[in-house]
Amino acid sequence: MKRALITGITGQDGSYLAELLLPKGYEVHGIKRRSSSFNTARIDNILPDWHEREARLFLHFADLSDSTSLIKLLCQIQPDEIYHLGAQSHVRVSYEIPEYTGDVTALGTIRLLEAIRVVNFKTKFYQASSSEMFGTTPEYPQCETTPFRPSSPYACAKLYAHWMTVNYRESYDLFACNGILFNHESPRRGETFVSRKITRGVARIRAGLQEKLYMGNLEAKRDWGYTPEYVDAMWRMMQLDRADDFVVATGETHSVREFLETAFAYAGLDWEKYVEIDARYFRPVEVDHLEGDAGKAERILGWRPKVKFHDLVRLMVDSDTQLLEDQLSGHLARSASARD
């Protein structure tokens, strides 16, 4: 039985990756940070009951800012594969907390790589790199050989992690690969990210619970894909005999404006009546055009995206609409119960 360790297992990517690995027979271990509130909502559906003897999913308290906890955990688990997805991953927030972003997103990767080197056992390492590393490069579509030009503290931190992964692969003969993933979305996307902010706003506006949706730059173009397909690409990279780096993308680019138009139109609404521009949501440096060329992933991994842009937007609107209906129904049920 293969054993995998996932940092960031409670996030969007980590939850889908755990769901992918378990049916493949993996024993899955995840890192979670101590919190005063429950933060496992995305994986509650696969968490075993406390009395389940055949459990294959385990959570551990550790932190990417704490080298000792990482070394101890690797010694305890001895994973065959490590998927490093944990990070401070919000681009706009990285301008507000650049030092923390660098500590967790950049140095957290070094702590993990050093833990592997110090513990000195063979494990495969996956680093979640980002299309944001391309930043304001004038070249597109972007592929593995496109020059990087990061344009935010988050992108700079990711680039450091990316190159250190390459360095450890070349210096210590580690199996260490980078997945340069372009924007990938799902119903589990965090509510502060632009895609989910839009689809959640559409559901609330249609229900009469919200009047306006405040947005930043509508002209930014991104390559939007579907997260469950992207975690499959991660797994495929880790099954290779020799580590390599891959762009994962759809090869299509659409603007934030197009995302808005598609989401509101699907809900039968005119987006221009509800959307207002707020300067607070603009970045100090805007990244105008990200579009990936995943030809290498198709040739070597046999990976191709299936869910197209408009289908992705619609499934997210449907999910947020259903989620809101469930929340309202639960609230009404609790209110009726309280009156009784």
Side-chain angles (χ1 to χ4, degrees):
M1 179 187 297
K2 281 189 177 181
R3 189 175 294 129
L5 172 64
I6 304 173
T7 71
I9 193 171
T10 59
Q12 171 190 241
D13 293 14
S15 65
Y16 282 115
L17 179 60
E19 288 182 1
L20 176 75
L21 296 180
L22 287 170
K24 294 182 182 293
Y26 280 71
E27 179 179 293
V28 178
H29 296 258
I31 289 177
K32 68 173 183 176
R33 289 176 295 172
R34 173 69 179 89
S35 174
S36 59
S37 59
F38 292 111
N39 58 358
T40 59
R42 293 185 178 95
I43 56 172
D44 282 345
N45 63 310
I46 56 174
L47 278 176
D49 294 330
W50 67 270
H51 55 77
E52 192 173 329
R53 294 184 179 181
E54 300 301 321
R56 289 188 291 111
L57 175 60
F58 306 91
L59 299 183
H60 307 268
F61 287 112
D63 199 289
L64 293 171
S65 64
D66 181 3
S67 300
T68 302
S69 70
L70 298 176
I71 293 172
K72 290 168 63 177
L73 193 57
L74 292 194
C75 289
Q76 174 189 343
I77 298 173
Q78 297 190 23
D80 299 289
E81 298 173 0
I82 298 174
Y83 295 86
H84 178 35
L85 314 181
Q88 192 302 99
S89 58
H90 198 286
V91 176
R92 185 64 186 84
V93 171
S94 75
Y95 285 99
E96 305 298 326
I97 47 173
E99 182 180 344
Y100 175 78
T101 300
D103 185 35
V104 173
T105 305
L107 296 183
T109 306
I110 270 293
R111 294 181 184 111
L112 260 179
L113 288 167
E114 269 294 279
I116 294 170
R117 189 181 70 83
V118 169
V119 172
N120 193 31
F121 63 83
K122 291 296 182 182
T123 185
K124 292 184 174 182
F125 178 82
Y126 170 87
Q127 159 61 18
S129 290
S130 169
S131 61
E132 288 289 333
M133 300 186 307
F134 293 117
T136 55
T137 182
E139 298 181 19
Y140 59 84
Q142 294 101 19
C143 66
E144 294 80 4
T145 58
T146 302
F148 296 117
R149 193 175 179 181
S151 303
S152 68
Y154 166 76
C156 291
K158 278 292 186 182
L159 187 57
Y160 176 90
H162 176 92
W163 281 121
M164 289 308 296
T165 299
V166 173
N167 181 257
Y168 270 64
R169 179 170 72 217
E170 296 176 348
S171 300
Y172 303 113
D173 196 30
L174 297 182
F175 186 105
C177 61
N178 288 293
I180 308 173
L181 272 58
F182 281 64
N183 286 62
H184 45 290
E185 318 299 327
S186 76
R188 298 181 192 173
R189 189 60 142 151
E191 295 175 356
T192 60
F193 289 84
V194 67
S195 60
R196 185 77 193 287
K197 178 180 176 180
I198 291 171
T199 59
R200 183 173 180 268
V202 166
R204 290 178 58 81
I205 289 170
R206 187 162 62 175
L209 299 177
Q210 184 172 323
E211 294 182 356
K212 295 291 183 180
L213 181 62
Y214 295 94
M215 300 292 297
N217 179 16
L218 302 187
E219 307 313 319
K221 294 182 178 180
R222 294 293 184 269
D223 188 323
W224 316 83
Y226 185 42
T227 302
E229 296 180 347
Y230 282 45
V231 299
D232 175 63
M234 297 177 190
W235 176 78
R236 290 174 185 243
M237 291 179 213
M238 295 285 264
Q239 309 317 303
L240 296 175
D241 294 327
R242 186 177 181 84
D244 204 348
D245 304 326
F246 294 89
V247 161
V248 180
T250 69
E252 295 182 8
T253 184
H254 299 272
S255 67
V256 176
R257 183 184 299 273
E258 288 179 80
F259 202 114
L260 279 167
E261 291 172 345
T262 302
F264 275 86
Y266 182 57
L269 300 171
D270 179 358
W271 72 273
E272 292 183 294
K273 293 181 179 179
Y274 302 99
V275 174
E276 291 191 7
I277 303 302
D278 189 328
R280 292 178 299 172
Y281 296 114
F282 281 82
R283 300 179 186 180
V285 178
E286 290 292 336
V287 175
D288 295 324
H289 192 131
L290 294 177
E291 178 183 346
D293 175 0
K296 181 179 176 181
E298 182 176 353
R299 292 192 308 273
I300 297 176
L301 304 178
W303 181 89
R304 295 183 66 183
K306 298 176 182 177
V307 176
K308 300 299 183 181
F309 172 76
H310 290 88
D311 294 327
L312 171 64
V313 177
R314 290 166 187 153
L315 75 84
M316 290 181 66
V317 171
D318 285 340
S319 176
D320 271 318
T321 299
Q322 186 61 55
L323 178 62
L324 183 60
E325 290 176 359
D326 293 344
Q327 291 172 344
L328 293 175
S329 297
H331 177 71
L332 289 175
R334 287 191 297 272
S335 297
S337 177
R339 288 194 298 271
D340 293 343

